[in-house]
Amino acid sequence: MEIGDLGIRLRARRTAAGETISAVAIRAGLSVPYIANLENGRGNPTLTALTALAGALGADLVVDLADKGDQADETGRAGKPAGSRPPVPASLTRFARTPRFSAEADRLAEHSGRPAAVQRELLLSAMSGVAAAGTDSDELTELDWHRILDAVVLISRDLRTGT
């Protein structure tokens, strides 16, 4: 995994949990600038720092030496190229802190059987992808994010019910 990809995943997990960099830094015993640099694709983190960050984010650090081209996503499916996740725009990061986003993510987690933090990260990734397919996602408003969330919720509801 490239440092830029790691930064995207760290930021997505942190924002999905509604956490600030400062709160994560305190729990991980790391500095705010260090974590900010990692989230922005800069730096060369140690395994010790990544382990502390994972723990502060309620996750486990998994290190795997795989053959090149044998990348797997968080569900264990191979073939997804590294870095294929769209970045989470700042406006979506703000929206992810709203009670509505949290409630919908929690409800989706309950129906899917996934842990809430994983579901929030997947929801952020899905919403970023939908936005990236249509427009410059940095210009989307909170109302736009509500509409995208509505669409994702409706699609997931249809998939669950088979209608």
Side-chain angles (χ1 to χ4, degrees), residues 6-59:
L6 175 65
I8 289 169
R9 291 186 97 174
L10 288 172
R11 178 174 284 136
R13 184 167 288 271
R14 178 181 60 75
T15 58
E19 296 282 348
T20 64
I21 292 177
S22 180
V24 172
I26 290 168
R27 285 196 310 276
L30 300 169
S31 72
V32 169
Y34 182 77
I35 295 173
N37 279 332
L38 292 179
E39 285 189 2
N40 288 311
R42 296 185 301 267
N44 190 16
T46 64
L47 285 176
T48 302
L50 290 176
T51 301
L53 262 174
L57 292 168

Side-chain angles (χ1 to χ4, degrees), residues 50-67:
L50 290 176
T51 301
L53 262 174
L57 292 168
D60 291 323
L61 177 66
V62 177
V63 178
D64 185 16
L65 297 176
D67 291 333

